[in-house]
Amino acid sequence: MNIHEYQAKEIFRNAGIPVPEGTVATTVEQVRDIAARFGTRVVVKAQVHTGGRGKAGGVKLAHNPEEAAGLAEKILGMEIKGHVVRKVLVTPAVDISHEYYLGVVLDRAAGRPLVMVSREGGIDIEEVAKTNPGAILREHFDPSTGLYPFQARQLAYGIEPEPHFAKQIASILIKLCRCFAQVDGSLAEINPLIRTPGGEMIAIDAKINLDDSALFHHHDLEAMRDSSAESANEAAAREMGLSYIKLDGAIGCVVNGAGLAMATMDLVKHFGGSPANFLDIGGSSSPDKVITAIRIITEDQNVKVILFNIFGGITRCDDVANGLIRALSATKVKLPIVARLTGTNEEEARQILGSVEGLTPAETMDEAVQRAVELAR
Ligand code: GDP
Ligand code: MN
C-alpha cells in the first residue's frame, strides 16, 4: 500500500526525524487560508502516489497566499503519471544549501533491508543511480537490531565530511531505519534531506511504501489508505478479491495462483514479450472474477492480447471458460485471446470455448505464451 507524503512525514515526525510543518488541502480557498496562516513563503505540493512530482510541475513555491491559491488552482486536478491530484500539502518553504538522498528498501535477494545514501540527492537521483552508481553508498542492516551507530556514522561521513552535519545525518539514518522496520515498510525514503544555510538538516520530502501482507497488524496504518488515490482498477480488483498490479507491457495475463502468475510473467519475458500486469484471480474462481479481470485488463490501452493461463485444481476450468464467455459478451472484447486451461474439467472448458471467435486454444504453457508474444507484435 502506498501512502502520501504528508502521511509519511507524520510517521517520520513521530520517529523524531525533523520535518517541516504542513497542512493538507483539497480546495483553492483552503490553500489560501493555510498559506496566510503560515505567513511565509510556502510550497504547494501535489499529493499523489507517484514520484517525480517536481519535474511534472506538481511542486511549486509561492511567495504569498494569493500566489499559493493560483498554484493550487493549477495543481489540483492535474494529472501526474496517470494519477489525478485531489489533495495538496501546503508547507513553509525552506532555503536549501544542499540536498542529500537517504533511502531504505527491502533487498529480497539478500533477505535484509538495505540503506542507500548519496550526496547527490534531489530530483535527479535516478539519473545518478544510472550514470554514477559510485555516488550511492549501501549498507545492509538487521531489522531486529536496527542500523548500528557505527554503520550510520560510516554512511553519514561517506556523504558529508563535516562532523557537525554528518552527526545529524547519522542520527536521522538510525531513525529512518527504525521507522522502516516498525511499519513493515517495503520502502522508506527521504529525498531530499536538505541542509539549510543555518546548518540544520530537514526532511522536505518523505515516501513510505507499506507491505500489504503485514498491514493486518497495523490498523493505524491501514487507516491511512486513500482509496480515492488508488486507480479505479486497483480498487475494483481488491473488492473482487483479485491481486492485480499494473505493468507496462502489451500482454494482459489472467492467471490463477501467485506462483503461476509469476511463472507466466517470467515465460512472457523469456519469449521476448512483456506482461501488462500481474493478475491472480485466486483459488476458487467465479465467473464474476473473470469478468472483472477482463474488464480491468481491457481498460489498459497498451494491451494487445489477453493470455489466460489457468491451472484447474480447486479452480474449475469450465467456470473460467464460462466467465470468459460471459465477459466477452458483456464487454465486447476485440483483442485476440490465447487460452491455456488445464486440469479440473478441462474437457468441458475446451468445448465451451471451441466456438469462440478470435480465441486461440493452447495445450502447454510454452505454446500459449509463445502464441501470445507473436500476437502482441
Ligand atoms: P518530488 O519531485 O516528487 O520528489 O518532490 P520533492 O518534494 O522532492 O520536491 C522536488 C524538489 O523541489 C526538491 O528536490 C527541491 O529541490 C524543491 N523543493 C521542494 N520543497 C522546497 C522548499 O521548501 N524550498 C526550496 N528551495 N526548494 C524546494
Ligand atoms: Mn522527492
Side-chain angles (χ1 to χ4, degrees):
M1 182 177 108
N2 293 327
I3 58 175
H4 290 299
E5 173 193 0
Y6 76 91
Q7 296 165 318
K9 277 182 169 165
E10 198 178 305
I11 294 174
F12 285 167
R13 189 179 292 122
N14 290 334
I17 296 173
V19 293
E21 302 176 76
T23 306
V24 181
T26 53
T27 68
V28 172
E29 291 68 37
Q30 287 171 354
V31 171
R32 189 185 288 113
D33 289 350
I34 296 164
R37 215 173 321 129
F38 282 132
T40 57
R41 291 177 310 149
V42 295
V43 182
V44 182
K45 310 184 76 177
Q47 298 297 289
V48 279
H49 290 164
T50 182
R53 298 163 303 164
K55 281 188 177 166
V59 177
K60 294 276 188 194
L61 178 78
H63 295 83
N64 55 58
E66 233 12 81
E67 193 181 354
L71 292 171
E73 179 107 51
K74 289 204 192 90
I75 295 174
L76 284 165
M78 164 193 267
E79 199 172 298
I80 301 178
K81 296 184 193 162
H83 300 260
V84 179
V85 182
R86 299 182 205 281
K87 288 180 190 165
V88 291
L89 174 65
V90 185
T91 179
V94 293
D95 290 328
I96 300 178
S97 287
H98 195 85
E99 302 193 12
Y100 308 85
Y101 172 90
L102 311 182
V104 186
V105 292
L106 187 60
D107 180 351
R108 290 176 195 276
R112 292 202 153 192
L114 174 69
V115 197
M116 292 181 285
V117 301
S118 177
R119 191 175 170 79
E120 318 295 327
I123 55 176
D124 287 322
I125 190 69
E126 273 87 9
E127 203 49 36
V128 173
K130 262 186 232 150
T131 58
N132 188 13
I136 299 174
L137 308 183
R138 294 154 211 266
E139 188 80 33
H140 287 102
F141 72 97
D142 181 335
S144 59
T145 54
L147 188 71
Y148 289 120
F150 81 89
Q151 292 179 298
R153 280 195 299 272
Q154 221 160 37
L155 289 167
Y157 279 101
I159 59 171
E160 177 51 71
E162 179 61 46
H164 176 63
F165 301 149
K167 278 179 194 157
Q168 292 181 63
I169 295 175
S171 155
I172 291 169
L173 265 176
I174 289 174
K175 289 168 183 162
L176 180 66
C177 291
R178 196 178 297 146
C179 248
F180 174 87
Q182 261 168 10
V183 301
D184 285 311
S186 53
L187 175 121
E189 191 179 77
I190 303 174
N191 186 34
L193 174 75
I194 62 112
R195 189 178 76 232
T196 65
E200 247 185 302
M201 296 286 174
I202 306 173
I204 64 163
D205 192 9
K207 189 170 162 116
I208 295 179
N209 291 345
L210 301 166
D211 183 341
D212 286 350
S213 308
L215 270 181
F216 72 96
H217 55 182
H218 294 292
H219 293 296
D220 49 333
L221 299 176
E222 171 72 45
M224 289 184 167
R225 186 188 292 282
D226 179 359
S227 303
S228 75
E230 291 180 336
S231 76
N233 283 345
E234 279 167 353
R238 194 155 39 78
E239 265 162 42
M240 192 51 83
L242 308 169
S243 307
Y244 169 78
I245 293 161
K246 186 184 162 359
L247 303 167
D248 297 327
I251 301 177
C253 304
V254 184
V255 188
N256 67 321
L260 188 60
M262 302 282 264
T264 306
M265 290 162 59
D266 281 350
L267 212 55
V268 166
K269 286 271 188 193
H270 176 75
F271 286 119
S274 65
N277 61 277
F278 168 96
L279 195 153
D280 172 10
I281 63 168
S284 63
S285 69
S286 74
D288 288 335
K289 283 191 179 181
V290 180
I291 292 173
T292 307
I294 293 197
R295 195 164 284 149
I296 289 171
I297 286 178
T298 50
E299 266 171 31
D300 179 349
Q301 301 300 316
N302 294 335
V303 173
K304 297 213 172 68
V305 53
I306 303 176
L307 168 64
F308 274 75
N309 188 13
I310 302 295
F311 182 79
I314 300 168
T315 307
R316 287 167 34 195
C317 293
D318 55 329
D319 265 356
V320 175
N322 277 323
L324 186 52
I325 298 273
R326 272 177 47 198
L328 291 178
S329 65
T331 56
K332 312 244 178 311
V333 180
K334 295 202 181 61
L335 298 167
I337 297 174
V338 180
R340 180 247 184 181
L341 280 67
T342 189
T344 309
N345 294 0
E346 64 177 72
E347 290 300 330
E348 287 84 340
R350 216 164 284 143
Q351 269 174 11
I352 293 166
L353 295 178
S355 56
V356 178
E357 213 182 309
L359 185 141
T360 312
E363 298 261 325
T364 69
M365 219 162 125
D366 278 18
E367 184 194 339
V369 172
Q370 273 174 303
R371 195 80 193 97
V373 171
E374 279 162 24
L375 287 166
R377 286 226 173 90

